Amino acid sequence: MTYRTTPQYAPDVAVGPDGILQSEGGFGGAVGGLTILQPPATYTVKLSVGGRDYTQPLTIRKDPHSAGTEADIEAQYRMLLDIRRDLDTVVDAINSAELIRSQVYNLMKIVDDTELKQAADELDKKMIAAEGTLAELRTTGRGQDGVRWGSKLVQKLGYLANGLASGDFKPTNQQVAVHKDLQVRLKASQGQLGDTINRDVAAFNDMLRRKNLPTVVTQVPRRPTDHQ
Protein backbone atom coordinates (compact mmCIF):
# COMPACT_ATOMS: atom_id res chain seq x y z
CA MET A 1 0.00 0.00 0.00
CA THR A 2 1.07 3.57 -0.62
CA TYR A 3 -0.04 6.10 1.97
CA ARG A 4 -0.19 9.64 0.58
CA THR A 5 -1.92 11.48 3.42
CA THR A 6 -0.91 12.41 6.95
CA PRO A 7 -2.30 10.08 9.66
CA GLN A 8 -5.34 11.42 11.44
CA TYR A 9 -4.49 13.50 14.52
CA ALA A 10 -0.73 13.25 13.77
CA PRO A 11 0.23 16.28 11.67
CA ASP A 12 3.88 15.86 12.66
CA VAL A 13 4.07 12.69 10.51
CA ALA A 14 4.56 14.42 7.20
CA VAL A 15 4.19 13.39 3.59
CA GLY A 16 7.58 13.41 1.91
CA PRO A 17 8.61 15.44 -1.16
CA ASP A 18 7.78 12.44 -3.32
CA GLY A 19 4.16 12.53 -2.13
CA ILE A 20 4.55 9.39 -0.03
CA LEU A 21 4.01 9.26 3.72
CA GLN A 22 7.30 8.88 5.56
CA SER A 23 7.78 7.02 8.83
CA GLU A 24 10.68 5.58 10.78
CA GLY A 25 9.01 2.30 11.58
CA GLY A 26 6.55 1.68 8.79
CA PHE A 27 2.80 1.81 9.27
CA GLY A 28 0.57 -0.48 11.26
CA GLY A 29 -1.88 -0.61 8.40
CA ALA A 30 0.70 -1.89 5.95
CA VAL A 31 0.89 -5.50 4.88
CA GLY A 32 4.07 -7.19 3.75
CA GLY A 33 4.27 -9.59 0.85
CA LEU A 34 2.41 -12.85 1.32
CA THR A 35 4.60 -15.81 0.39
CA ILE A 36 2.69 -18.94 -0.60
CA LEU A 37 4.63 -22.18 -0.82
CA GLN A 38 3.87 -24.50 -3.71
CA PRO A 39 2.25 -27.85 -2.82
CA PRO A 40 4.29 -31.05 -3.18
CA ALA A 41 4.48 -32.05 -6.86
CA THR A 42 6.86 -32.18 -9.80
CA TYR A 43 7.34 -28.84 -11.55
CA THR A 44 9.40 -27.58 -14.46
CA VAL A 45 11.81 -24.72 -13.83
CA LYS A 46 12.53 -22.53 -16.85
CA LEU A 47 15.53 -20.21 -17.20
CA SER A 48 15.97 -17.87 -20.18
CA VAL A 49 19.54 -16.73 -20.87
CA GLY A 50 20.88 -15.08 -24.01
CA GLY A 51 17.77 -15.88 -26.00
CA ARG A 52 17.86 -19.56 -25.05
CA ASP A 53 15.52 -21.41 -22.71
CA TYR A 54 16.74 -24.02 -20.27
CA THR A 55 14.37 -26.28 -18.37
CA GLN A 56 14.86 -28.61 -15.46
CA PRO A 57 12.38 -30.73 -13.52
CA LEU A 58 11.98 -29.89 -9.85
CA THR A 59 10.28 -32.12 -7.32
CA ILE A 60 8.88 -30.61 -4.13
CA ARG A 61 8.35 -33.17 -1.39
CA LYS A 62 6.29 -32.95 1.76
CA ASP A 63 8.14 -32.70 5.04
CA PRO A 64 8.22 -36.34 6.24
CA HIS A 65 7.93 -35.14 9.84
CA SER A 66 4.70 -33.25 9.17
CA ALA A 67 1.39 -34.85 10.07
CA GLY A 68 -0.41 -32.90 7.33
CA THR A 69 -1.32 -34.72 4.15
CA GLU A 70 -0.70 -33.55 0.60
CA ALA A 71 -4.44 -32.99 0.28
CA ASP A 72 -4.30 -30.76 3.38
CA ILE A 73 -1.49 -28.72 1.88
CA GLU A 74 -3.36 -28.34 -1.41
CA ALA A 75 -6.48 -27.12 0.42
CA GLN A 76 -4.38 -24.62 2.38
CA TYR A 77 -2.72 -23.44 -0.83
CA ARG A 78 -6.04 -22.79 -2.56
CA MET A 79 -7.39 -20.79 0.37
CA LEU A 80 -4.19 -18.75 0.60
CA LEU A 81 -4.56 -17.84 -3.08
CA ASP A 82 -8.10 -16.63 -2.35
CA ILE A 83 -6.90 -14.56 0.61
CA ARG A 84 -4.10 -13.05 -1.46
CA ARG A 85 -6.61 -11.98 -4.11
CA ASP A 86 -8.74 -10.40 -1.36
CA LEU A 87 -5.67 -8.59 0.00
CA ASP A 88 -4.87 -7.27 -3.47
CA THR A 89 -8.43 -5.97 -3.75
CA VAL A 90 -8.16 -4.21 -0.38
CA VAL A 91 -4.77 -2.69 -1.21
CA ASP A 92 -5.99 -1.42 -4.59
CA ALA A 93 -9.01 0.20 -2.90
CA ILE A 94 -6.81 1.88 -0.27
CA ASN A 95 -4.41 3.12 -2.94
CA SER A 96 -7.33 4.61 -4.89
CA ALA A 97 -8.68 6.35 -1.81
CA GLU A 98 -5.25 7.71 -0.87
CA LEU A 99 -4.69 9.01 -4.40
CA ILE A 100 -8.02 10.85 -4.39
CA ARG A 101 -7.58 12.35 -0.92
CA SER A 102 -4.03 13.52 -1.62
CA GLN A 103 -5.13 15.26 -4.81
CA VAL A 104 -7.92 17.07 -2.96
CA TYR A 105 -5.50 18.17 -0.20
CA ASN A 106 -2.95 19.46 -2.68
CA LEU A 107 -5.57 21.31 -4.70
CA MET A 108 -6.97 23.03 -1.62
CA LYS A 109 -3.50 24.39 -0.81
CA ILE A 110 -3.59 26.59 -3.90
CA VAL A 111 -7.32 27.39 -4.12
CA ASP A 112 -8.95 30.28 -2.28
CA ASP A 113 -12.62 29.47 -2.68
CA THR A 114 -14.80 29.07 0.40
CA GLU A 115 -17.47 26.99 -1.37
CA LEU A 116 -14.88 24.67 -2.85
CA LYS A 117 -13.01 24.25 0.42
CA GLN A 118 -16.23 23.34 2.22
CA ALA A 119 -17.09 20.79 -0.48
CA ALA A 120 -13.56 19.36 -0.26
CA ASP A 121 -13.85 19.00 3.52
CA GLU A 122 -17.18 17.18 3.22
CA LEU A 123 -15.78 14.89 0.52
CA ASP A 124 -12.73 14.09 2.64
CA LYS A 125 -14.91 13.05 5.58
CA LYS A 126 -16.82 10.63 3.34
CA MET A 127 -13.61 9.24 1.85
CA ILE A 128 -12.12 8.74 5.32
CA ALA A 129 -15.26 6.93 6.46
CA ALA A 130 -15.03 4.55 3.49
CA GLU A 131 -11.26 4.00 3.56
CA GLY A 132 -11.32 3.66 7.34
CA THR A 133 -13.20 0.37 7.06
CA LEU A 134 -10.23 -1.05 5.14
CA ALA A 135 -7.24 0.31 7.06
CA GLU A 136 -6.57 2.14 10.31
CA LEU A 137 -5.88 5.75 9.28
CA ARG A 138 -4.58 6.85 12.67
CA THR A 139 -1.43 4.72 12.60
CA THR A 140 1.86 6.61 12.62
CA GLY A 141 4.45 3.83 12.51
CA ARG A 142 5.27 4.28 16.16
CA GLY A 143 5.51 1.48 18.68
CA GLN A 144 2.19 2.02 20.46
CA ASP A 145 -0.03 1.95 17.35
CA GLY A 146 -0.88 -1.70 17.85
CA VAL A 147 -2.03 -1.00 21.40
CA ARG A 148 -3.99 2.16 20.65
CA TRP A 149 -5.88 1.04 17.57
CA GLY A 150 -7.65 -2.14 16.59
CA SER A 151 -7.13 -4.12 13.39
CA LYS A 152 -9.05 -3.28 10.25
CA LEU A 153 -9.86 -5.43 7.25
CA VAL A 154 -6.42 -5.40 5.66
CA GLN A 155 -4.73 -6.50 8.89
CA LYS A 156 -7.35 -9.14 9.63
CA LEU A 157 -6.82 -10.75 6.23
CA GLY A 158 -3.08 -10.67 6.80
CA TYR A 159 -3.40 -12.29 10.22
CA LEU A 160 -5.64 -14.98 8.79
CA ALA A 161 -3.17 -15.75 6.01
CA ASN A 162 -0.19 -15.90 8.36
CA GLY A 163 -1.98 -18.22 10.75
CA LEU A 164 -3.10 -20.49 7.95
CA ALA A 165 0.39 -20.69 6.46
CA SER A 166 2.04 -21.59 9.77
CA GLY A 167 1.62 -25.35 9.31
CA ASP A 168 0.94 -28.12 6.79
CA PHE A 169 -2.71 -28.57 7.61
CA LYS A 170 -5.95 -27.82 5.83
CA PRO A 171 -7.93 -24.74 6.87
CA THR A 172 -9.94 -25.22 10.04
CA ASN A 173 -13.69 -24.67 10.05
CA GLN A 174 -13.08 -21.50 12.06
CA GLN A 175 -10.60 -20.15 9.50
CA VAL A 176 -13.02 -20.82 6.66
CA ALA A 177 -15.82 -19.08 8.56
CA VAL A 178 -13.64 -16.07 9.37
CA HIS A 179 -12.60 -15.77 5.73
CA LYS A 180 -16.21 -15.80 4.56
CA ASP A 181 -17.06 -13.10 7.11
CA LEU A 182 -14.14 -10.94 5.96
CA GLN A 183 -15.20 -11.36 2.34
CA VAL A 184 -18.67 -10.09 3.23
CA ARG A 185 -17.10 -7.08 4.95
CA LEU A 186 -14.85 -6.49 1.96
CA LYS A 187 -17.79 -6.45 -0.40
CA ALA A 188 -19.58 -3.93 1.81
CA SER A 189 -16.47 -1.72 2.03
CA GLN A 190 -16.01 -1.86 -1.73
CA GLY A 191 -19.60 -0.78 -2.16
CA GLN A 192 -19.22 2.13 0.25
CA LEU A 193 -16.02 3.36 -1.38
CA GLY A 194 -17.41 2.85 -4.87
CA ASP A 195 -20.55 4.81 -4.06
CA THR A 196 -18.47 7.65 -2.62
CA ILE A 197 -16.28 7.82 -5.71
CA ASN A 198 -19.13 7.50 -8.20
CA ARG A 199 -21.40 9.98 -6.44
CA ASP A 200 -19.43 12.38 -4.27
CA VAL A 201 -16.11 12.55 -6.11
CA ALA A 202 -18.02 12.90 -9.39
CA ALA A 203 -20.02 15.81 -7.94
CA PHE A 204 -16.82 17.44 -6.68
CA ASN A 205 -15.25 17.08 -10.12
CA ASP A 206 -18.29 18.75 -11.67
CA MET A 207 -17.74 21.68 -9.32
CA LEU A 208 -14.06 21.83 -10.32
CA ARG A 209 -14.99 21.91 -14.01
CA ARG A 210 -17.39 24.78 -13.46
CA LYS A 211 -14.55 26.71 -11.86
CA ASN A 212 -12.12 25.79 -14.67
CA LEU A 213 -9.91 23.76 -12.34
CA PRO A 214 -8.27 20.37 -12.96
CA THR A 215 -10.35 17.41 -11.86
CA VAL A 216 -9.42 14.63 -9.47
CA VAL A 217 -8.14 11.39 -11.00
CA THR A 218 -10.07 8.44 -9.58
CA GLN A 219 -8.29 5.44 -11.08
CA VAL A 220 -4.91 3.95 -10.26
CA PRO A 221 -3.21 1.35 -12.48
CA ARG A 222 -3.72 -2.21 -11.33
CA ARG A 223 -0.50 -3.66 -10.00
CA PRO A 224 0.95 -6.49 -12.11
CA THR A 225 0.35 -9.91 -10.65
CA ASP A 226 1.30 -13.49 -11.36
CA HIS A 227 -1.52 -14.98 -9.29
CA GLN A 228 -3.04 -18.21 -10.44
Side-chain angles (χ1 to χ4, degrees), residues 107-108 111 116 205 207-215:
L107 183 59
M108 290 305 101
V111 170
L116 198 57
N205 274 339
M207 181 180 294
L208 292 174
R209 292 188 188 96
R210 291 195 299 271
K211 296 178 181 292
N212 295 317
L213 292 170
T215 58

Side-chain angles (χ1 to χ4, degrees), residues 59-73:
T59 300
I60 297 178
R61 296 187 176 91
K62 186 179 78 69
D63 182 352
H65 302 290
S66 171
T69 67
E70 292 192 11
D72 290 341
I73 297 173

Side-chain angles (χ1 to χ4, degrees), residues 158-176:
Y159 296 156
L160 177 62
N162 289 333
L164 180 60
S166 63
D168 286 342
F169 301 99
K170 68 178 182 180
T172 65
N173 293 337
Q174 292 86 347
Q175 287 170 328
V176 172

Side-chain angles (χ1 to χ4, degrees), residues 4-190:
R4 301 175 183 273
T5 60
T6 298
Q8 290 182 277
Y9 318 122
D12 56 309
V13 182
V15 174
D18 58 354
I20 306 301
L21 191 60
Q22 306 297 321
S23 170
E24 295 180 358
F27 291 90
V31 173
L34 175 59
T35 300
I36 303 178
L37 301 180
Q38 290 294 123
T42 299
Y43 300 90
T44 299
V45 178
K46 180 179 178 181
L47 177 65
S48 297
V49 179
R52 297 185 60 184
D53 294 337
Y54 301 88
T55 60
Q56 180 73 33
L58 173 67
T59 300
I60 297 178
R61 296 187 176 91
K62 186 179 78 69
D63 182 352
H65 302 290
S66 171
T69 67
E70 292 192 11
D72 290 341
I73 297 173
E74 179 69 24
Q76 178 199 97
Y77 173 74
R78 294 299 169 189
M79 183 170 172
L80 284 172
L81 288 182
D82 288 342
I83 295 175
R84 184 168 65 178
R85 280 189 283 268
D86 293 337
L87 277 169
D88 281 347
T89 298
V90 173
V91 169
D92 285 340
I94 293 170
N95 287 343
S96 294
E98 287 288 308
L99 178 65
I100 291 170
R101 291 176 57 218
S102 65
Q103 290 177 86
V104 173
Y105 291 165
N106 291 332
L107 183 59
M108 290 305 101
K109 292 177 182 178
I110 60 174
V111 170
D112 186 16
D113 185 308
T114 302
E115 179 189 20
L116 198 57
K117 286 181 178 294
Q118 181 178 353
D121 184 62
E122 292 174 356
L123 173 60
D124 188 48
K125 290 177 181 177
K126 292 177 181 178
M127 289 296 300
I128 287 174
E131 185 184 355
T133 66
L134 301 167
E136 177 53 66
L137 302 180
R138 294 170 292 185
T139 55
T140 62
R142 295 163 182 160
Q144 296 300 312
D145 282 344
V147 177
R148 292 190 180 102
W149 319 120
S151 298
K152 294 298 179 70
L153 191 57
V154 67
Q155 294 104 331
K156 290 179 183 294
L157 283 166
Y159 296 156
L160 177 62
N162 289 333
L164 180 60
S166 63
D168 286 342
F169 301 99
K170 68 178 182 180
T172 65
N173 293 337
Q174 292 86 347
Q175 287 170 328
V176 172
V178 167
H179 187 211
K180 289 181 178 178
D181 178 66
L182 294 179
Q183 287 181 315
V184 171
R185 297 188 192 186
L186 173 56
K187 186 175 181 179
S189 296
Q190 281 184 289

